[in-house]
Amino acid sequence: MLISTENFRSYTADTQLACTLAAVAGALNTAAFEAVGFFSANMTGNVSSLSDHLARASLAPATFFASIVSIFIAGSAFSTLLINAGRRNNMRKVYAFNILVEGIGLVALGGIETWLRPQSPGVVLILCLSFLMGLQNAVVTRISNARVRTTHVSGTSTDIGIELAMLFDVLRRKESPKEAPLYIERLKLHALTLFSFLAGGVAGIWLYRALGYPFIMLIGLMLIALALHTLLGRHASPVNQ
């Protein structure tokens, strides 16, 4: 699921990608909110908070929210530069390498929060997670040709509504029944993404309460294992992925 790209990808590959990384994003997002009261990947909410604080001339909080948005963008840009370099050199596994970077980053972040105890733990946690979520979102967007999103569900929820409406028009004979299987496939993909984000969020709360910050390290190790499985393994051609 971390090799083939764009039009070569199958529904199964996109579904595996969506379910795995949406669950990761949901877990990290809710755990961060449980820990410090901020979301690391909700750029809509963060930009709204930024505008609110700017309107109130509250410069310190505005700077914090501007930093969250900026570092999310920086993570996405960093990921894209790695992907572009890999594609120029015909590295089919560059997407897995990016996920490896994310996993290592999470392990390091979990270790910092657990053992080093920074003076501003909430700031370090949110800014680091924002960078890593930006990185992950760029990976998923590029590898799936924007068919899958995992770090937020606003667009996914919109897509669910669109596919439901298209199926409704098929039932009313306003759209061709020949397109119904495609709409159903897309609906399943988006619904599974939403459910995975939700389930990951619930699990993230439970695991954070049980383990504390080492939970972040656990997620990182899981991503490292996933990436190494792709980087070190033999895989079929893109058409079959």
Side-chain angles (χ1 to χ4, degrees):
M1 72 178 179
L2 291 175
I3 297 181
S4 55
T5 61
E6 300 173 357
N7 294 328
F8 292 111
R9 291 185 65 80
S10 67
Y11 169 77
T12 300
D14 278 346
T15 301
Q16 291 173 344
L17 181 76
C19 291
T20 302
L21 295 186
V24 166
L28 293 172
N29 236 11
T30 55
F33 188 81
E34 176 78 2
V36 296
F38 295 99
F39 288 114
S40 60
N42 180 13
M43 293 304 108
T44 303
N46 289 329
V47 171
S48 296
S49 295
L50 170 60
S51 63
D52 177 69
H53 288 297
L54 286 175
R56 299 170 185 270
S58 302
L59 296 184
T63 300
F64 176 63
F65 283 105
S67 299
I68 295 176
V69 175
S70 298
I71 204 163
F72 184 93
I73 294 170
S76 177
F78 175 77
S79 176
T80 300
L81 289 173
L82 288 180
I83 292 169
N84 288 348
R87 294 181 68 166
R88 284 194 293 269
N89 290 280
N90 296 316
M91 294 174 57
R92 291 177 54 225
K93 298 182 180 182
V94 66
Y95 300 96
F97 180 76
N98 274 26
I99 296 301
L100 177 64
V101 170
E102 180 185 0
I104 293 172
L106 288 172
V107 171
L109 175 60
I112 290 171
E113 295 287 352
T114 301
W115 294 304
L116 299 184
R117 300 186 181 277
Q119 292 183 348
S120 302
V123 173
V124 172
L125 177 68
I126 292 301
L127 293 183
C128 288
L129 283 181
S130 292
F131 181 87
L132 294 173
M133 289 296 95
L135 182 152
Q136 177 180 305
N137 207 42
V139 170
V140 173
T141 300
R142 292 293 298 277
I143 197 173
S144 71
N145 200 23
R147 286 187 295 270
V148 177
R149 306 279 183 166
T150 59
T151 63
H152 56 280
V153 293
S154 297
T156 303
S157 300
T158 302
D159 291 336
I160 290 173
I162 290 171
E163 303 307 334
L164 286 172
M166 297 304 293
L167 287 171
F168 181 64
D169 271 352
V170 169
L171 291 175
R172 297 194 304 151
R173 303 296 180 181
K174 301 293 185 180
E175 294 288 336
S176 171
K178 294 180 181 180
E179 300 297 325
L182 177 61
Y183 300 144
I184 292 172
E185 184 176 272
R186 290 174 179 170
L187 179 61
K188 288 180 179 178
L189 174 62
H190 299 315
L192 285 170
T193 303
L194 180 60
F195 176 78
S196 297
F197 190 93
L198 173 65
V202 173
I205 293 289
W206 289 345
L207 289 172
Y208 174 74
R209 290 176 178 175
L211 303 176
Y213 288 118
F215 148 74
I216 299 175
M217 300 174 67
L218 176 63
I219 296 293
L221 290 172
M222 290 171 57
L223 289 181
I224 290 172
L226 176 65
L228 290 178
H229 173 73
T230 301
L231 289 168
L232 301 179
R234 293 184 178 181
H235 299 270
S237 64
V239 176
N240 296 321
Q241 291 291 321

